[in-house]
Amino acid sequence: MFGSGKEVNGSKLVYLDNAATSQKPTAVLTALQNYYQNYNSNVHRGIHFLSAKATDEYESARKKVASFINAPHTREIIFTRNATEAINLVAYSWGMSNLQADDEIVLTVAEHHSAVVPWQIVAQKTGAALKFVTLDKDQVPDIANLKEALSKKTKIVVMHHVSNVLASVLPMEDIVQLAHNVGAKVLIDACQSVPHMVVDVQNLGADFLVASSHKMCGPTGIGFLFGKMELLSAMPPFLGGGEMIADVYLDHSTYAEPPSRFEAGTPAIGEAIGLGAAVDYLSGIGMQRIHDYEVELANYLYESLQSIPKLHIYGPKPSINVNRAALCSFNVEDIHPTDIATFLDQQHGVAIRSGHH
């Protein structure tokens, strides 16, 4: 991780772009270096010492992720390139196999593009329809509107747990129950919740959940999908190649059980091991402790920005009943967002994100 004395443009660095990607603690960098220096080898394919060691560490990372989100079975964790690929895996494998004309996919207008575009493509291919839940007066996805949108035609609900723009935290347990009441599955985009609070897939009741390593102090190039085993076992492969097969014949192939079925080819071994180290790092601090501290920071950030004239903050106002995530999207009247970001970076060493989301 950057030393406390790192400077940018002549100022001490203040990194406030963690919603885009987090910095990496020393333990993660050490885990990556240790793999490449001491036991670099492919996994699952060799009996020699290095391959056995790499396989053990790779699968240990899967166990750590499963425990971190309280998945019932380690095999319910699929390693992917990122959360975007994890969503695409569900859209193409589950969606193309289960959706047909007149079925409905429910999302919110506040979803990340990675959660919208794959379902647009699948809807075009299957004839299914997309329905979008609007925002309420507090700029939070409207639960009343969600209830109206759900019907027996709804086959899957795709929603974020925490918005990377609005900072809203959705009541996912209630949303999952509403969806299940009409027989729909639920995919939770947990990229902005898994690094910042306790996430328990069993308490949530999630059918699918995705998250990204690089936003939770881990390396880039890896994310994960949680899926209930009965769903994963019924899904066809997303990609074809080595590792995901049971047997290959000239005219057909049989496929491995999950998770191997969805991890074609040589995986991101070092990155998975680094993700495991990131899970250890966060667990060592304690997710509830992290969450409680971030609530304090979120309230302080909101109140401080609110005191600035002509500055408009998006998303709900924090209160006893409303917790905002520890981020704020804002505009300042008559000043372009890119100008603000450039000024803060070049004059004060403050890294923030600007632009259209």
Side-chain angles (χ1 to χ4, degrees):
M1 186 176 288
F2 290 147
S4 59
K6 184 173 181 63
E7 291 190 355
V8 173
N9 295 321
S11 299
K12 182 179 177 181
L13 172 66
V14 179
Y15 186 81
L16 298 179
D17 197 20
N18 288 287
T21 198
S22 58
Q23 297 301 322
K24 319 307 174 194
T26 301
V28 171
L29 303 178
T30 300
L32 280 167
Q33 184 177 22
N34 187 35
Y35 164 70
Y36 284 112
Q37 282 190 336
N38 296 316
Y39 59 97
N40 175 45
S41 183
N42 214 325
V43 294
H44 303 139
R45 302 180 187 182
I47 61 171
H48 58 82
F49 174 83
L50 292 181
S51 180
K53 171 68 172 175
T55 298
D56 286 346
E57 293 297 327
Y58 179 78
E59 292 301 331
S60 175
R62 194 190 310 276
K63 292 177 182 177
K64 291 175 182 179
V65 171
S67 177
F68 192 62
I69 62 170
N70 196 30
H73 306 289
T74 300
R75 290 172 54 215
E76 294 177 317
I77 302 300
I78 313 296
F79 285 134
T80 59
R81 284 188 306 146
N82 43 43
T84 299
E85 182 174 90
I87 294 171
N88 275 270
L89 192 164
V90 177
Y92 282 90
S93 181
W94 183 89
M96 293 295 292
S97 301
N98 288 276
L99 296 173
Q100 55 190 8
D102 296 326
D103 286 341
E104 293 179 349
I105 306 161
V106 174
L107 308 96
T108 79
V109 296
E111 297 310 309
H112 193 282
H113 294 162
S114 296
V116 175
V117 177
W119 296 103
Q120 288 178 333
I121 295 171
V122 169
Q124 291 167 0
K125 291 178 179 293
T126 62
L130 298 175
K131 295 182 74 173
F132 287 91
V133 175
T134 57
L135 304 182
D136 64 19
K137 60 181 178 59
D138 296 316
Q139 297 181 328
V140 174
D142 191 336
I143 301 302
N145 187 225
L146 169 63
K147 293 177 181 178
E148 295 172 357
L150 294 172
S151 73
K152 292 299 182 182
K153 290 185 176 182
T154 308
K155 300 307 177 185
I156 190 165
V157 174
V158 180
M159 284 196 180
H160 61 273
H161 194 179
V162 173
S163 171
N164 70 323
V165 175
L166 300 173
S168 51
V169 182
L170 299 187
M172 287 312 307
E173 295 94 333
D174 297 338
I175 291 170
V176 169
Q177 188 59 58
L178 289 169
H180 285 174
N181 287 346
V182 298
K185 308 303 181 190
V186 180
L187 186 159
I188 300 175
D189 175 357
C191 288
Q192 301 294 343
S193 59
V194 165
H196 302 288
M197 62 181 66
V198 176
V199 173
D200 184 322
V201 293
Q202 295 191 64
N203 284 345
L204 292 174
D207 298 296
F208 301 104
L209 179 142
V210 305
S212 194
S213 165
H214 72 95
K215 293 180 180 177
M216 53 187 291
C217 299
T220 57
I222 190 161
F224 67 85
L225 164 69
F226 159 80
K228 288 182 176 177
M229 184 52 66
E230 62 266 27
L231 297 175
L232 295 176
S233 295
M235 288 162 52
F238 175 48
L239 298 173
E243 195 62 32
M244 49 71 66
I245 46 87
D247 294 293
V248 176
Y249 305 91
L250 293 181
D251 60 347
H252 74 282
S253 297
T254 58
Y255 307 124
E257 291 298 311
S260 297
R261 182 184 302 173
F262 303 104
E263 295 181 6
T266 297
I269 303 166
E271 287 75 7
I273 293 168
L275 170 57
V279 168
D280 287 341
Y281 175 81
L282 293 172
S283 298
I285 300 171
M287 294 311 300
Q288 189 59 52
R289 182 181 176 191
I290 289 172
H291 173 66
D292 292 344
Y293 182 53
E294 287 192 4
V295 169
E296 292 182 29
L297 292 177
N299 291 339
Y300 174 76
L301 175 63
Y302 188 93
E303 292 167 3
S304 298
L305 287 175
Q306 198 175 37
S307 68
I308 299 174
K310 299 184 179 180
L311 187 147
H312 175 72
I313 304 172
Y314 297 96
K317 182 178 181 179
S319 68
I320 295 176
N321 299 319
V322 177
N323 284 333
R324 281 182 61 99
L327 63 89
C328 278
S329 295
F330 64 90
N331 267 315
V332 179
E333 188 178 328
D334 298 325
I335 304 179
H336 196 280
T338 300
D339 293 337
I340 296 174
T342 301
F343 172 77
L344 289 173
D345 174 55
Q346 295 184 356
Q347 299 298 317
H348 298 281
V350 177
I352 64 170
R353 189 173 180 181
S354 65
H356 179 70
H357 294 282

